[in-house]
């Protein structure tokens, strides 16, 4: 089955990953299943409970991505209850039977969520944190500097929570290993497929990442290995007898990356690097001293183009501040006088309204007593707007709404980054005399006729003098 990260399709499928978006900073990953594998007693089958309501998976399956799903009425109080089975009850009436058809859910009065297709960016924001996470601003820049493209074989040491793993497999993907899964017919010759070789020292984290790779349909594209890369290197299979992944990109998220650089060398059958292409590397170091030690080791190993980068990503909030009394009733506006003249005009308008109101009440009282009102007030004339109301209008009232107010920008306080130093380097491919000979045979260079060096003025005078003397001798 194709991975939902690479080919999500038009709607959510059964037994596939879906992201339940509750609010801007809260997303829940869930594997959509018809029956509850934990057998918690829900009649609706598998249910995901949130603070915004309960959502049976039967209401999520086959729904288009981006749909708004309403919550359902689920008896959450009966979860986990073990009812004593009566003697006359048979096995068909057991509510915990996984083969039983789920009950049709009933829509609740309130609560909803949005069904989103999984992407590496959304997975980074919703994954269970087992270690420090490599966020989107970091891994996007890292993959760019590593030249990760379709067909690249990338080594990742220190998988952690799997955030970088999902982003890397999307960057290097150009086809599935099984021909039957490929949607497009490839060329006749065998092409190199992109792959991510992930290494993790912690056994439980490695097992958890392997389960996620299997559940997300990334088997064959990501190979997870439990190993200490400081001692056993980066070859696939058993240490010392494994096969080379022939990687051309390396990412080391290790406490001491300089200890693993001794295995990233060319030469020999146990080299994990591609001998026919340059290799790009990136290391993570939490402090500057570790970055300096890594740079020193890279220079000793023959790496070139060494550069250290620190990524500080901030989101900038750009908005318009609408300040003034004319923005009364506008959402987000500050209804407050901007100048003294505007405040005085507002006070005069309020005083005029108060005077008109009092005259109106006085006229009504006089009419009730039967007295003849000789003079008509301004309120009886039907004036709907005070005389001084126009004074409160500013020149910005004629501008469109998007151009009104003052343009402001402010950066966010929290940094969603790894807060580490990135060290980049490149290891050029080896170039032997045989490679030079084959290159010249394949692309022969044109013969260049050597031109004589330009002569100086003294040399030209001397040659001219010798030529005249030779002519004089011939004439004599």
């Amino acid at each position: 089955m194709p991975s939902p990260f690479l080919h999500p399709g038009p709607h959510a499928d059964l037994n596939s990953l879906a992201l339940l978006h509750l609010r801007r900073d809260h997303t829940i990953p869930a594997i959509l299943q018809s029956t509850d594998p934990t057998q918690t007693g829900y009649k609706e089958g598998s249910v995901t409970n949130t603070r915004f309501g309960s959502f049976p998976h039967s209401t999520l399956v086959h729904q288009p991505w981006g749909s708004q799903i309403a919550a359902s009425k689920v008896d959450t109080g009966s979860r986990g209850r073990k009812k004593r089975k009566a003697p006359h009850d048979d096995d068909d009436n057991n509510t915990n039977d996984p083969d039983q058809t789920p009950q049709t859910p009933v829509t609740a009065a309130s609560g909803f969520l949005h069904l989103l297709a999984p992407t590496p960016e959304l997975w980074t924001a919703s994954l269970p944190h087992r270690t420090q996470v490599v966020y989107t601003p970091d891994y996007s820049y890292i993959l760019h500097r590593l030249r990760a493209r379709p067909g690249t074989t990338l080594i990742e040491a220190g998988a952690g929570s799997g955030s970088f793993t999902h982003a890397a497999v999307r960057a290097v993907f150009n086809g599935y290993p099984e021909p039957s899964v490929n949607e497009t017919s490839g060329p006749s010759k065998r092409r190199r497929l992109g792959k991510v070789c992930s290494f993790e020292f912690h056994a439980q984290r490695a097992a958890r990442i392997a389960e996620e790779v299997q559940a997300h349909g990334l088997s064959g594209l990501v190979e997870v290995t439990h190993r200490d890369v400081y001692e056993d290197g980066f070859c696939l299979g058993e240490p010392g007898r494994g096969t080379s992944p022939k990687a051309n990109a390396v990412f080391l998220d290790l406490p001491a990356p300089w200890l693993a650089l001794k295995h990233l060398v060319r030469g020999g059958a146990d080299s994990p690097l591609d001998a026919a292409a340059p290799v790009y590397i990136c290391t993570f170091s939490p402090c500057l001293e570790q970055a300096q030690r890594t740079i020193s080791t890279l220079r000793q190993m023959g790496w070139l183009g060494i550069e250290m980068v620190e990524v500080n990503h901030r989101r900038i909030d750009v908005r318009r501040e609408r300040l003034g009394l004319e923005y009364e009733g506008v959402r987000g506006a500050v209804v407050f006088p901007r100048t003294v003249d505007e405040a005085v005009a507002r006070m005069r308008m309020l005083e005029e309204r108060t005077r008109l109101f009092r005259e109106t009440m006085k006229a009504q009282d006089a009419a009730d007593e039967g007295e003849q009102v000789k003079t008509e007030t301004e309120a009886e004339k039907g004036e709907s707007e005070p005389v001084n109301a126009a004074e409160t209008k500013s020149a910005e009232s004629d501008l469109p709404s998007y151009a009104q107010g003052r343009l402001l920008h402010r950066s966010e306080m929290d940094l969603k980054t790894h807060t580490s130093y990135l060290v980049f380097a490149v290891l050029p491919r080896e170039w032997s005399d045989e490679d030079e000979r084959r290159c010249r045979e394949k692309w022969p260079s044109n013969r260049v006729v050597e031109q004589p060096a330009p002569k100086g003025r003294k040399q030209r005078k001397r040659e001219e003098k010798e030529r005249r003397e030779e002519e004089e001798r011939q004439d004599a």
Side-chain angles (χ1 to χ4, degrees), residues 174-186:
N174 63 340
Y176 293 94
E178 295 82 7
S180 59
V181 183
N182 278 321
E183 296 183 355
T184 58
S185 58

Side-chain angles (χ1 to χ4, degrees), residues 318-323 332-333 401-408:
V318 181
R319 60 184 179 87
R320 284 191 174 271
E321 183 185 42
R322 295 176 174 86
L323 176 63
S401 59
Y402 61 85
Q404 295 178 1
R406 184 176 58 173
L407 187 63
L408 300 178

Side-chain angles (χ1 to χ4, degrees), residues 88-347:
H88 60 275
D89 292 342
D90 53 2
D91 295 338
D92 296 337
N93 296 329
N94 190 3
T95 58
N96 291 335
D97 187 4
D99 297 333
Q100 186 179 4
T101 303
Q103 180 180 346
T104 303
V106 180
T107 304
S110 62
F112 64 90
L113 57 76
H114 289 88
L115 185 65
L116 301 182
T119 61
E121 291 77 14
L122 294 177
W123 177 251
T124 300
S126 61
L127 57 81
H129 287 211
R130 295 181 289 270
T131 57
Q132 194 172 8
V133 176
V134 181
Y135 289 98
T136 301
D138 292 314
Y139 65 63
S140 60
Y141 181 73
I142 292 171
L143 293 173
H144 165 68
R145 292 293 301 269
L146 291 180
R147 273 67 168 178
R149 56 189 181 274
T152 300
T153 301
L154 189 144
I155 290 178
E156 177 196 13
S161 300
S163 173
F164 183 83
T165 307
H166 288 76
V169 71
R170 183 185 62 177
V172 305
F173 173 76
N174 63 340
Y176 293 94
E178 295 82 7
S180 59
V181 183
N182 278 321
E183 296 183 355
T184 58
S185 58
S188 58
K189 64 178 182 179
R190 184 178 180 181
R191 59 175 179 174
R192 179 172 179 174
L193 299 179
K195 187 177 182 181
V196 176
C197 303
S198 182
F199 297 87
E200 175 58 43
F201 172 75
H202 197 271
Q204 295 180 356
R205 288 199 295 263
R208 182 57 181 164
I209 294 174
E211 294 176 0
E212 292 178 352
V213 168
Q214 180 69 24
H216 299 169
L218 299 176
S219 300
L221 302 176
V222 179
E223 184 171 351
V224 182
T225 305
H226 171 227
R227 179 180 299 173
D228 182 8
V229 295
Y230 293 157
E231 300 295 336
D232 301 329
F234 299 93
C235 289
L236 303 178
E238 297 182 3
R241 294 181 296 177
T243 59
S244 173
K246 296 183 180 180
N248 40 30
V250 181
F251 174 66
L252 302 181
D253 189 3
L254 303 173
W258 60 88
L259 298 179
L261 294 177
K262 59 184 178 182
H263 301 287
L264 298 175
V265 294
R266 287 197 176 97
D270 57 346
S271 175
L273 306 181
D274 187 4
V279 179
Y280 298 89
I281 190 174
C282 174
T283 65
F284 257 37
S285 300
C287 63
L288 190 60
E289 291 77 11
Q290 294 183 3
Q292 291 177 345
R293 192 166 182 179
T294 303
I295 292 173
S296 177
T297 307
L298 287 172
R299 289 175 177 173
Q300 296 176 6
M301 296 295 179
W303 293 79
L304 304 177
I306 303 174
E307 182 181 0
M308 187 187 71
V309 179
E310 182 183 7
V311 179
N312 289 330
H313 175 77
R314 288 183 182 271
R315 181 179 300 172
I316 299 177
D317 181 22
V318 181
R319 60 184 179 87
R320 284 191 174 271
E321 183 185 42
R322 295 176 174 86
L323 176 63
L325 299 176
E326 69 272 13
Y327 297 112
E328 185 175 0
V330 179
R331 182 179 180 183
V334 180
V335 184
F336 194 82
R338 289 176 295 184
T339 60
V340 177
D341 296 337
E342 188 175 359
V344 172
R346 178 70 173 179
M347 294 175 62

Side-chain angles (χ1 to χ4, degrees), residues 21-28 51-52 125-126 315 416:
H21 182 73
L22 302 177
R23 57 186 183 186
R24 183 177 65 90
D25 55 348
H26 191 190
T27 305
I28 299 176
R51 59 178 298 183
F52 298 101
S126 61
R315 181 179 300 172
K416 290 293 185 180

Side-chain angles (χ1 to χ4, degrees), residues 53-100:
S54 300
F55 299 89
H57 289 189
S58 58
T59 61
L60 305 176
V61 178
H62 304 306
Q63 294 293 334
W65 298 116
S67 301
Q68 186 183 82
I69 309 299
S72 301
K73 295 180 180 179
V74 176
D75 185 11
T76 57
S78 62
R79 181 180 181 182
R81 294 178 183 175
K82 296 182 179 179
K83 298 181 180 180
R84 180 173 296 180
K85 186 177 179 180
H88 60 275
D89 292 342
D90 53 2
D91 295 338
D92 296 337
N93 296 329
N94 190 3
T95 58
N96 291 335
D97 187 4
D99 297 333
Q100 186 179 4

